[in-house]
Amino acid sequence: GQNIDQPTEMTATEGAIVQINCTYQTSGFNGLFWYQQHAGEAPTFLSYNVLDGLEEKGRFSSFLSRSKGYSYLLLKELQMKDSASYLCAVIDSGYALNFGKGTSLLVTP
Amino acid sequence: TAGITQAPTSQILAAGRSMTLRCTQDMRHNAMYWYRQDLGLGLRLIHYSNTAGTTGKGEVPDGYSVSRANTDDFPLTLASAVPSQTSVYFCASSDAGTAGANVLTFGAGSRLTVL
């Protein structure tokens, strides 16, 4: 079984920092992914964590703690174009990703 | 590079009719997937294929069938559509089983409305 939880909605101000949390309870673990999805578009890959710690990629960073079943996506220097849904996904076994319900982020001026 | 092509982009279908959503990738990825996305429910896996000639059931397979005759194509068929199958359908592929992350690449989606 699997249970992946993330907040439904968040609002943040342009130029600020926002942290989107994801907790998971899965029967296995082979990696955690973050995807970005703009309205009406396909999800696009942002980051991947399989070991504990922080992965930094430009304005975006992702953190993983396997012992706590916890990850977060950190977005710095927010821009209006960052308004989107952010999807947390876990591979527990096999190759398919199991997605959470997504967090809708609204960036305001 | 086209990546993944889905067709049709959108379709309105009468209940009880059959429909095949097409998915083609040109990346020579071995694994392919079909997800449906519904408001408040997120992306849910319908069927997957780890390699040509094999398929498997995901979280919500009922009412859907797939085939994987070759590497590039992975059609999704609704034999007798029902209104609860109204959704946005995303096809995805990945170069699974190789070193590194199994990153899924998604098609643009097919919006299906069943009346």
Side-chain angles (χ1 to χ4, degrees), chain B residues 3-106:
Chain B
I4 296 184
T5 302
Q6 290 186 233
T9 303
S10 66
Q11 181 77 45
I12 299 174
L13 187 67
R17 300 296 296 268
S18 66
M19 175 76 193
T20 295
L21 302 180
R22 301 183 298 279
C23 176
T24 299
Q25 54 108 354
D26 64 0
M27 297 173 285
R28 306 303 294 172
H29 284 169
N30 57 321
M32 297 187 75
Y33 318 84
W34 274 105
Y35 288 86
R36 60 177 289 174
Q37 187 172 39
D38 303 288
L39 197 63
L41 296 177
L43 283 159
R44 293 181 292 168
L45 183 67
I46 304 171
H47 285 287
Y48 64 91
S49 169
N50 289 338
T51 190
T54 69
T55 62
K57 293 181 179 180
E59 180 185 356
V60 288
D62 294 344
Y64 306 95
S65 64
V66 292
S67 62
R68 188 86 185 278
N70 57 60
T71 298
D72 300 341
D73 301 301
F74 191 44
L76 177 74
T77 297
L78 290 69
S80 179
V82 295
S84 62
Q85 292 178 308
T86 295
S87 187
V88 179
Y89 291 86
F90 285 101
C91 180
S93 71
S94 70
D95 189 15
T98 59
N102 184 37
V103 176
L104 269 60
T105 299
F106 285 85

Side-chain angles (χ1 to χ4, degrees), chain A:
Chain A
Q2 64 202 21
N3 190 20
I4 301 172
D5 290 319
Q6 46 183 136
T8 302
E9 296 178 334
M10 299 183 70
T11 301
T13 304
E14 189 176 16
I17 299 173
V18 69
Q19 177 174 313
I20 302 174
N21 296 325
C22 172
T23 58
Y24 64 91
Q25 291 178 306
T26 56
S27 54
F29 182 81
N30 285 307
L32 186 141
F33 296 75
W34 284 96
Y35 277 75
Q36 181 190 59
Q37 185 178 25
H38 285 100
E41 297 183 7
T44 56
F45 170 73
L46 284 179
S47 69
Y48 168 71
N49 296 71
V50 67
L51 300 177
D52 291 352
L54 188 68
E55 294 284 340
E56 297 186 78
K57 189 185 295 185
R59 294 190 298 115
F60 293 3
S61 302
S62 57
F63 172 83
L64 175 67
S65 169
R66 289 172 297 171
S67 63
K68 295 182 179 178
Y70 168 69
S71 173
Y72 68 72
L73 180 69
L74 194 70
L75 291 73
K76 305 174 186 175
E77 302 169 14
L78 279 172
Q79 302 175 10
M80 299 299 289
K81 67 179 182 179
D82 297 329
S83 291
S85 287
Y86 292 86
L87 315 179
C88 175
V90 172
I91 293 182
D92 52 7
S93 62
Y95 299 138
L97 269 61
N98 303 299
F99 285 86
K101 295 178 181 179
T103 299
S104 179
L105 173 67
L106 177 63
V107 180
T108 60

